């Protein structure tokens, strides 16, 4: 398992190219929000954000190497850190997070990058993120059902 950082700050030209592609795929609002957030950080903050992201992926790869499955509680806790880390860039919806998991496994650039840490990391991330998102969706549905039941009891006079 390599200890080199996966992600680093890209050149301005490469960043602009990435932004153009992302605007085509995700629309301008999300990309503009991300660019605005990133530009609001100092260089020290950017360095810390990049280091934090690299540490999260290294920890996930270490869990994989230790024989954990993508659905293990320890791995899911790491994916919660990953989820929180995304907020440095934009508000991640469940759909976006699921898409990231797929992209990590299918996009050749991401695959090559993640395979630097562990050959099976792209699929492990995809599977772990899918489970994480499913759990969040299940929790959201349960909460909505509970709120509906409470509203129905209030309206019917049942307490």
């Amino acid at each position: 398992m390599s200890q080199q950082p996966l992600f680093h700050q890209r050149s301005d030209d490469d960043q602009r190219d990435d932004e153009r592609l992302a605007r085509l795929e995700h629309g301008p609002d999300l990309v503009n929000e991300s660019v605005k957030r990133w530009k609001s950080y100092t260089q020290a903050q950017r360095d810390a954000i990049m280091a934090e992201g690299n540490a999260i992926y290294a920890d996930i790869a270490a869990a994989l190497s230790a024989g954990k499955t993508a659905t293990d509680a320890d791995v899911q806790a790491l994916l919660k850190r990953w989820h929180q880390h995304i907020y440095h860039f934009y508000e991640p919806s469940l759909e976006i997070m699921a898409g990231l998991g797929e992209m990590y496994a299918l996009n050749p650039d991401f695959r090559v990058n993640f395979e630097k840490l562990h050959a099976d990391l792209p699929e492990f991330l995809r599977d772990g993120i899918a489970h994480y998102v499913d759990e969040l969706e299940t929790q959201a549905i349960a909460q909505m059902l509970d709120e509906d039941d409470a509203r129905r009891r209030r309206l019917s006079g049942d307490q």
Side-chain angles (χ1 to χ4, degrees), residues 39 44 130 132 140:
K39 288 183 177 182
Y132 180 80

Side-chain angles (χ1 to χ4, degrees), residues 66 88 105 151:
H88 289 296
R151 187 175 15 256

Side-chain angles (χ1 to χ4, degrees), residues 103-115:
M103 184 175 65
Y104 293 166
L106 298 175
N107 179 289
D109 293 332
F110 277 95
R111 281 193 68 80
V112 165
N113 216 16
F114 284 122
E115 287 171 347

Side-chain angles (χ1 to χ4, degrees), residues 10 58 75 129:
R10 303 187 30 96
V75 173
I129 291 168

Side-chain angles (χ1 to χ4, degrees), residues 1 20 22 25 35 46 62 66 99 101 116 122 130 134 145 149 153:
M1 186 168 75
R20 273 188 225 109
E25 186 170 337
V35 169
R46 291 177 187 178
K116 291 176 187 175
D134 285 347
L145 292 172
D149 286 344
R153 283 192 303 274

Side-chain angles (χ1 to χ4, degrees), residues 54-78:
N54 285 318
I56 291 167
Y57 292 116
D59 289 348
I60 293 170
L64 172 58
S65 292
K68 301 283 183 178
T69 67
T71 60
D72 280 340
D74 295 346
V75 173
Q76 292 298 298
L78 292 170

Side-chain angles (χ1 to χ4, degrees), residues 8-146:
H8 56 279
Q9 292 185 42
R10 303 187 30 96
S11 73
D12 288 343
D13 288 340
D14 287 343
Q15 186 64 34
R16 276 190 293 277
D17 289 344
D18 289 348
E19 289 169 17
R20 273 188 225 109
L21 291 173
R23 279 185 178 88
L24 291 172
E25 186 170 337
H26 303 289
D29 293 340
L30 183 68
V31 176
N32 291 343
E33 174 190 349
S34 181
V35 169
K36 183 178 178 183
R37 281 189 193 192
W38 188 250
K39 288 183 177 182
S40 74
Y41 301 131
T42 65
Q43 187 60 48
Q45 289 171 316
R46 291 177 187 178
D47 291 344
I49 291 166
M50 297 302 283
E52 177 187 3
N54 285 318
I56 291 167
Y57 292 116
D59 289 348
I60 293 170
L64 172 58
S65 292
K68 301 283 183 178
T69 67
T71 60
D72 280 340
D74 295 346
V75 173
Q76 292 298 298
L78 292 170
L79 289 170
K80 185 173 184 174
R81 277 179 50 204
W82 165 82
H83 179 187
Q84 294 305 309
H85 184 260
I86 295 171
Y87 282 97
H88 289 296
F89 306 97
Y90 52 82
E91 290 282 324
S93 68
L94 296 179
E95 181 180 10
I96 287 172
M97 288 189 297
L100 286 172
E102 288 297 318
M103 184 175 65
Y104 293 166
L106 298 175
N107 179 289
D109 293 332
F110 277 95
R111 281 193 68 80
V112 165
N113 216 16
F114 284 122
E115 287 171 347
K116 291 176 187 175
L117 287 180
H118 192 290
D120 298 326
L121 187 56
E123 288 77 18
F124 190 78
L125 283 167
R126 180 198 58 216
D127 297 345
I129 291 168
H131 182 77
Y132 180 80
V133 168
D134 285 347
E135 289 295 310
L136 289 178
E137 286 176 335
T138 299
Q139 291 170 11
I141 290 168
Q143 182 177 350
M144 285 187 292
L145 292 172
D146 288 345

